[in-house]
Amino acid sequence: MGLEFYYNPLSSPCRAVWMTLKALGVDFNKHTIDVLAGEQKTEEFKKINPQQAVPTIVDGDFHLWESRAIMTYLCDKCDSEGNLHPKDIKMRALIVRALYMDMAMYANFLAHLEAIMKNGAIDEALLEKARKDVAKLEENRLTKYIVGDSLTIADFCVLTSLSMMEAAQFDCSPYPKLCSWMKTIKSLPYFDECSAEFYAFLKSKEEEQKAKKVAVVAGTETGKEPAVEPTGA
């Protein structure tokens, strides 16, 4: 019987766990939780995770949540060679440091995106915080991978966090090392499977914004009130 994985495909932490499961070749069953519909708040799910959050895994009688805890647990259990989470204590310390740094970056990236979605405009202060985090990655934290010269769980965490900036249509082209690293991680054989729904969602939102802008222009040109408010994006 495989491990049970409760997730939402639009969630960055969920996708980081999903990529870890695929990279390790773990046998697992997926259960999509629609957090916008409040499925995580049902009594049934509360029995699985009293914190009512995703990602969550159930491995036999063991229930675990928080993405970074799940990822390290999976590596300790399933990655005997220590490929994604090396056994060397110094390398592990560097990975743990990267995971903590990612928590702060993710919070800044998400705050920037949420402000755009809520207000229809960029909050310059939040954008500056996010931009500084991206610049630090480019200048100080990237070799071939986030930690050292091989793929680790830190790469999954940071890439999925950065997807929040992609969602906010942040231009990464001034950061060539970052762009090269992102291309490397996105070329992994399981990346598309774990990310397809997220990027399809982004594309649908982009089309929605284009349609709104067309409606605004059309309303202006005909002398009518615009059908929608300009987004400022």
Side-chain angles (χ1 to χ4, degrees):
M1 184 176 178
L3 175 146
E4 307 299 324
F5 174 44
Y6 298 84
Y7 78 114
N8 185 285
L10 304 184
S11 158
S12 293
C14 288
R15 285 182 285 114
V17 171
W18 192 356
M19 290 179 73
T20 303
L21 286 163
K22 296 296 292 187
L24 294 174
V26 176
D27 180 24
F28 66 99
N29 302 308
K30 294 186 298 181
H31 305 273
T32 304
I33 302 298
D34 188 344
V35 295
L36 296 179
E39 289 183 358
Q40 77 279 16
K41 297 184 181 297
T42 64
E43 288 301 315
E44 180 182 2
F45 190 72
K46 191 174 181 180
K47 294 175 183 177
I48 297 169
N49 177 355
Q51 297 296 318
Q52 301 172 294
V54 290
T56 296
I57 63 167
V58 177
D59 188 12
D61 61 355
F62 182 56
H63 296 215
L64 185 64
W65 50 91
E66 294 298 333
S67 60
R68 293 159 187 82
I70 294 172
M71 294 165 77
T72 53
Y73 167 78
L74 291 171
C75 289
D76 287 342
K77 180 177 180 179
C78 306
D79 186 11
S80 59
E81 296 182 1
N83 292 321
L84 291 179
H85 198 208
K87 304 300 182 184
D88 178 81
I89 60 171
K90 292 181 180 178
M91 284 298 294
R92 281 203 163 211
L94 293 176
I95 290 170
V96 170
R97 182 180 69 181
L99 296 183
Y100 277 115
M101 289 178 173
D102 175 66
M103 290 176 67
M105 288 192 298
Y106 173 71
N108 288 339
F109 296 162
L110 184 59
H112 170 54
L113 177 61
E114 286 181 336
I116 293 174
M117 295 177 67
K118 181 179 179 180
N119 304 319
I122 292 173
D123 182 311
E124 292 296 335
L126 293 175
L127 173 60
E128 185 57 26
K129 281 186 178 181
R131 185 185 287 117
K132 284 181 178 179
D133 283 334
V134 174
K136 286 177 183 177
L137 277 173
E138 176 76 11
E139 295 166 8
N140 303 321
R141 298 179 193 159
L142 271 176
T143 51
K144 183 177 180 181
Y145 293 94
I146 294 296
V147 178
D149 294 323
S150 61
L151 182 73
T152 70
I153 55 175
D155 294 287
F156 298 156
C157 281
V158 175
L159 181 73
T160 54
S161 292
L162 275 167
S163 69
M164 298 295 96
M165 296 300 284
E166 288 185 280
Q169 300 184 345
F170 180 80
D171 181 13
C172 288
S173 61
Y175 310 96
K177 288 195 295 183
L178 187 67
C179 290
S180 176
W181 166 79
M182 291 176 71
K183 183 177 180 180
T184 296
I185 307 304
K186 287 184 176 183
S187 70
L188 293 168
Y190 41 82
F191 174 80
D192 286 343
E193 178 185 347
C194 301
S195 306
E197 290 179 76
F198 172 74
Y199 285 103
F201 175 79
L202 290 192
K203 186 175 181 180
S204 70
K205 288 298 179 183
E206 288 174 7
E207 293 301 319
E208 186 179 297
Q209 292 300 318
K210 288 178 183 177
K212 287 181 178 180
K213 288 179 179 179
V214 169
V216 170
V217 172
T220 301
E221 289 180 346
T222 59
K224 298 177 181 179
E225 287 298 318
V228 293
E229 292 295 323
T231 64

